[in-house]
Amino acid sequence: MAEYGAHVASTSISERPSIFTALAQENLMSAVRPALKHVCKILAEKWPSELHWLYRYSNELHLLLDLILQHYCLKKLSASFAENFYGMKRVALCEAEAGAKLPFKVRTKSLIFLVFVPYFKSIADQLFERWREEDADGRLLSQASRSSQYIRIFLAVYPYIHLSYEATMLCYQMAFIFGKSRFHSPFLQLANIRLRNLNMQDILSVQAGGRDRKLAQDGDGQGSMARKLLEEATSLAAAGLASGLSAGVFFLQFLEWWYASDHNIRRAVTSLPVPDPPKVLSMPFVMLVKQE
């Protein structure tokens, strides 16, 4: 949030975000998935009869929550949760589509690249790790089915796909660092958007938009009550999720620092040399002590 305050307070700050904030907002959401999976595992172990399914479908649960959260942030704030957390917003590149809010087509592309692409990438990584262990143990060799052949093809091809993916991301980041590109990620270019820092006008427009929507809902007496309640419930759930996630991010970073510090202390203690065994006192000295 320090970056957010800096963007709001400064009037001469560049609209182009730094590579550090761009990468930090990407790493923020990647840390939420294992944290949620760990919480689901703890709950499933605590109440196995009622919540045994929670850990099994933790990826799908994360997909649903992420979809609700990102859709709310893109619609209300023109940014993902992590981008808004670090004081950035998305701007459409087309002149006809550029404006205070993202158009529906741009929001749909953004949702695909923010939610579904990381989900399928995570599933592919998990399948690769699991099938690689099975192949190393020899369990795939004992199977002569067609599916085992497809698995071996996947194990042979996926490392090259992963390498191409990471190399593409690195090339975009290096081009962004040296000012050769406006995009630090190929997904931004595919969605036809760019990132820029928030300013005071953006903050005021978001606040004014919220007041205008509330007045419009109060004045619309002919609208469907069920639709209003559904939209209000969805907005409240997404807003609560965003607020809880903001507090959870700080708690998660504190836990990472705590465990890292504790691990370093234990490693420093265990790395000390083993002391020599105590020396046995000689007999003349013992007799001298008795005489005294």
Side-chain angles (χ1 to χ4, degrees):
M1 299 296 289
E3 291 87 350
Y4 179 83
H7 295 325
V8 174
S10 178
T11 57
S12 61
I13 190 170
S14 174
E15 287 190 350
R16 184 175 182 268
S18 66
I19 187 62
F20 301 105
T21 55
L23 296 181
Q25 60 89 16
E26 289 188 352
N27 295 331
L28 177 62
M29 296 308 298
S30 63
V32 175
R33 184 185 299 273
L36 178 62
K37 193 168 186 177
H38 184 67
V39 171
C40 293
K41 182 179 179 181
I42 293 176
L43 293 177
E45 292 177 350
K46 183 70 174 179
W47 296 284
S49 59
E50 297 85 1
L51 301 177
H52 64 277
W53 55 270
L54 196 59
Y55 180 70
R56 180 183 304 176
Y57 298 103
S58 59
N59 291 324
E60 287 71 21
L61 178 62
H62 179 272
L63 175 66
L64 178 61
L65 296 178
D66 195 22
L67 181 62
I68 296 174
L69 177 64
Q70 301 299 356
H71 178 266
Y72 171 81
C73 292
L74 287 172
K75 186 177 181 180
K76 305 297 184 182
L77 306 173
S78 298
S80 67
F81 170 80
E83 291 163 356
N84 182 258
F85 185 82
Y86 281 96
M88 293 179 288
K89 68 174 294 185
R90 296 189 169 212
V91 180
L93 293 180
C94 298
E95 295 296 334
E97 297 180 347
K101 297 296 182 180
L102 293 175
F104 176 77
K105 184 178 180 181
V106 176
R107 290 204 311 268
T108 304
K109 291 182 179 179
S110 299
L111 274 179
I112 292 174
F113 295 125
L114 282 172
V115 179
F116 292 100
V117 171
Y119 169 75
F120 288 114
K121 180 66 168 56
S122 175
I123 294 298
D125 291 339
Q126 294 177 13
L127 290 176
F128 177 77
E129 293 295 334
R130 189 182 71 184
W131 289 338
R132 186 176 62 174
E133 292 179 359
E134 293 180 359
D135 186 43
D137 296 339
R139 282 178 284 177
L140 289 179
L141 296 178
S142 60
Q143 303 176 6
S145 61
R146 187 180 298 271
S147 60
S148 62
Q149 297 177 0
Y150 292 150
I151 291 176
R152 293 190 184 95
I153 294 175
F154 175 79
L155 292 177
V157 174
Y158 186 73
Y160 297 99
I161 298 176
H162 180 74
L163 177 62
S164 302
Y165 175 86
E166 296 294 338
T168 303
M169 297 294 291
L170 180 61
C171 291
Y172 269 83
Q173 292 169 8
M174 295 301 295
F176 184 80
I177 291 174
F178 291 104
K180 302 298 183 180
S181 175
R182 293 181 294 178
F183 317 99
H184 75 280
S185 171
F187 300 134
L188 294 178
Q189 188 172 10
L190 291 174
N192 202 25
I193 56 177
R194 67 178 179 89
L195 293 179
R196 73 169 178 85
N197 292 326
L198 287 174
N199 51 36
M200 183 60 69
Q201 183 178 359
D202 297 324
I203 308 300
L204 295 178
S205 64
V206 170
Q207 296 176 352
R211 290 193 298 266
D212 294 340
R213 284 192 300 270
K214 185 176 181 180
L215 291 176
Q217 291 177 359
D218 295 339
D220 188 11
Q222 304 297 329
S224 174
M225 183 62 67
R227 180 176 58 84
K228 289 182 179 180
L229 291 177
L230 181 61
E231 292 179 355
E232 189 69 20
T234 305
S235 300
L236 288 176
L241 182 62
S243 302
L245 190 58
S246 299
V249 165
F250 288 108
F251 183 69
L252 181 62
Q253 292 177 349
F254 171 76
L255 287 181
E256 291 179 352
W257 169 82
W258 179 272
Y259 284 118
S261 302
D262 184 64
H263 175 70
N264 292 332
I265 292 174
R266 292 182 179 180
R267 186 173 59 182
V269 172
T270 55
S271 62
L272 294 175
V274 179
D276 296 332
K279 296 181 179 180
V280 180
L281 297 177
S282 59
M283 292 300 297
F285 183 75
V286 175
M287 295 176 62
L288 181 60
V289 172
K290 290 183 178 180
Q291 292 178 0
E292 291 180 355

